Every structure is written in structure tokens, then in C-alpha cells.
Amino acid sequence: MLSSPSERQAHILEIVREGGFASIEHLATRFEVTQQTIRRLVNALCDQGLLRRIHGGVSLPVQNQNLAYGSRQGLNADAKRRIAHATAKFIPDGASLMIGLGTTPEYVAQALSRRQDLRIITNNLNVAAAFAQNPDVEITIAGGTLRPLDRDIVGETAARFFAGYRADYGIFGVGGIDQDGTLLDFHGDEVQARQSIAANSRVVVLVADITKFGRNATVRGGHLGDCHHLFTNGALPPTFASVSAKYADRIHTSDAVRIGASQS
């Protein structure tokens, strides 16, 4: 039984993404709670732009842009912390890391913030701030035009910046993941920066909670098969069974991560 509101909301998103629609009555029966409780949960998801209210229930929104960064920071926070903790255990002291934009990479940075002798290469000011108080970490930040709401630098400037380095690990998130494993984002500039991290890192690490699977975003760029490791917080949705089976050796859930897994 799912107990916390955030766990229920994550599962509601999965149900709607699988079927395209879910009625309030069906969700209340599924979670064994009142319809009033379900309405509170789905109203919060609708307010964040993740679902759309329609008569009798909720459906997927027509989504052309991502949520505001502040809204994303708090969304599925517990899941992101677990993913970050698992990812941090995977990273050894003394490593060089490229860390990209997004809220889950920021959580990874926070989980790593007290580690020893890391070199951080990033286009994300939130990531840089997470390490700023640790004198044992060297931080290199991309220059260029800042996206003030997201506090990052993207596009050709960021792509050229990452291309000037070679890191042990590249860590990034995505806007969404399609059923065939295609990685999706909301802007071409985001894809460009992310792909430069992947191209210039020895080990490519994708961090994404399960709500990203099936989430709609419009710009294609990269594939799950390009990533050496995926850290997530649970089993992939049933519609991703083929992808899950194909890349099973690369998928680590935050409650069952084997540290020291192959980094090939």
C-alpha cells in the first residue's frame, strides 16, 4: 500500500500515462481512499501542469514546455533523494564529473557535496552552489548567457565548454523518456548540452525518476542505449517492458543498487 502523498501522486501519473485518462472514482478505488483525497492529489498535479482536469477525471496535458524549476525541485523529492544517494555511492572519491542541468542532478550534487577530491565541471549554478563550501572540490563552471529561472547555461556555449574536457563520469537528467528508449527534452539547447556531456565522459550516467518514463517532451536527443547506467527509483512501467529487459544490466533502482557495478 502506498502511504505518502508523493508516492500516490507518482503512481497516479504512471496510471494516467499508461491509459491516457483515469477517473476519480477509479483512482479512489485503486488506492482505497476517498474521492475527496484523490481530488486533492490530482489537483496538486494539475496545478503543477503534470495532469489536466477533464469531466470525471484527469488526462495528460498538452505539454510544450517544462515546469518552472522551483516546481520541479519539490516534485517527487523523496524519490530524487533516493536516486541521488544511490548515484553518489557509485561515484568514487577523486573522480572528475560533468553534471548537467535539471533537479535530479542537483540532488546528486547535494549527495556528493561532502566528498573528497572531486573535480566538478558543470553548466548548472545550483550544482556549483552545492559544492561551493567544500574546499576539497574543484569547480569549473560554463560561461555564457544564464537562463535565470533554471540557473544554467545551455546551447552551443555549453556544448563547446564540455567539449574542452574529458571526465570520468557524465551525469544528467532528461525531460522525458519515450517507450522505445529515446531521450526527450523541451528545448534543443538542453539536448545539445546534454549530448556534449555524454560525448565527453568515459561513463555516462542518466538519473531519472519513474515519472519521466512516458512523459511527453518534444525534442529528441540520444537514447537510453547511449547511457552506461540509469539510476531510477523503481521498476519501469509495464509499457517499457522491452526496454527494461534489453537494458536490465544498466538499470539500478535506488533500493537495490550494487555498488561497484560494471562501468564499461
Side-chain angles (χ1 to χ4, degrees):
M1 179 66 65
L2 301 173
S3 56
S4 73
S6 62
E7 288 177 324
R8 286 173 177 166
Q9 286 177 322
H11 198 50
I12 288 169
L13 285 172
E14 182 180 338
I15 290 169
V16 177
R17 284 171 182 157
E18 287 179 9
F21 167 83
S23 70
I24 298 298
E25 181 179 4
H26 169 73
L27 292 172
T29 301
R30 179 76 172 266
F31 292 102
E32 299 181 355
V33 297
T34 65
Q35 292 189 23
Q36 183 179 9
T37 296
I38 289 296
R39 286 193 182 93
R40 284 198 298 268
L41 294 171
V42 300
N43 283 344
L45 293 169
C46 291
D47 290 343
Q48 294 175 73
L50 295 173
L51 294 178
R52 179 169 59 101
R53 298 177 186 87
I54 60 176
H55 181 69
V58 285
S59 67
L60 294 174
V62 178
Q63 198 167 49
N64 296 316
Q65 61 184 7
N66 206 353
L67 302 174
Y69 196 92
S71 297
R72 285 183 280 140
Q73 277 180 311
L75 185 64
N76 300 323
D78 290 343
K80 291 174 182 178
R81 288 191 189 96
R82 291 196 299 271
I83 292 168
H85 181 70
T87 307
K89 286 184 176 181
F90 188 73
I91 304 298
D93 286 343
S96 58
L97 309 174
M98 291 183 178
I99 304 182
L101 57 88
T103 58
T104 308
E106 180 186 352
Y107 277 97
V108 174
Q110 293 169 359
L112 288 166
S113 62
R114 296 180 180 273
R115 297 286 290 278
Q116 302 295 309
D117 194 28
L118 296 179
R119 181 170 187 186
I120 305 301
I121 303 160
T122 187
N123 62 333
N124 185 333
L125 293 192
N126 294 307
V127 166
F131 290 102
Q133 300 302 312
N134 187 343
D136 294 317
V137 174
E138 177 184 329
I139 307 168
T140 305
I141 307 174
T145 302
L146 179 72
R147 294 197 303 180
L149 296 180
D150 293 273
R151 302 187 73 195
D152 58 27
I153 295 94
V154 295
E156 291 184 9
T157 299
R160 288 195 301 269
F161 165 73
F162 287 121
Y165 298 90
R166 183 70 170 168
D168 297 323
Y169 297 87
I171 301 172
F172 53 77
V174 289
I177 303 171
D178 214 349
Q179 289 183 16
D180 65 355
T182 298
L183 306 184
L184 306 171
D185 270 300
F186 293 89
H187 301 283
D189 285 352
E190 295 171 340
V191 171
Q192 194 172 12
R194 171 166 55 74
Q195 289 189 306
S196 187
I197 292 175
N200 294 288
S201 300
R202 296 180 180 90
V203 178
V204 180
V205 179
L206 172 63
V207 290
D209 68 76
I210 57 172
T211 67
K212 296 296 180 70
F213 290 86
R215 187 184 184 203
N216 185 32
T218 55
V219 185
R220 298 163 57 95
H223 190 273
L224 188 59
D226 303 329
C227 304
H228 299 109
H229 300 280
L230 162 67
F231 285 83
T232 188
N233 62 304
L236 273 56
T239 51
F240 284 80
S242 176
V243 166
S244 183
K246 185 174 182 178
Y247 300 111
D249 60 334
R250 308 183 190 191
I251 299 172
H252 313 280
T253 59
S254 56
D255 58 351
V257 173
R258 295 182 179 178
I259 307 308
S262 172
Q263 296 172 12
S264 61

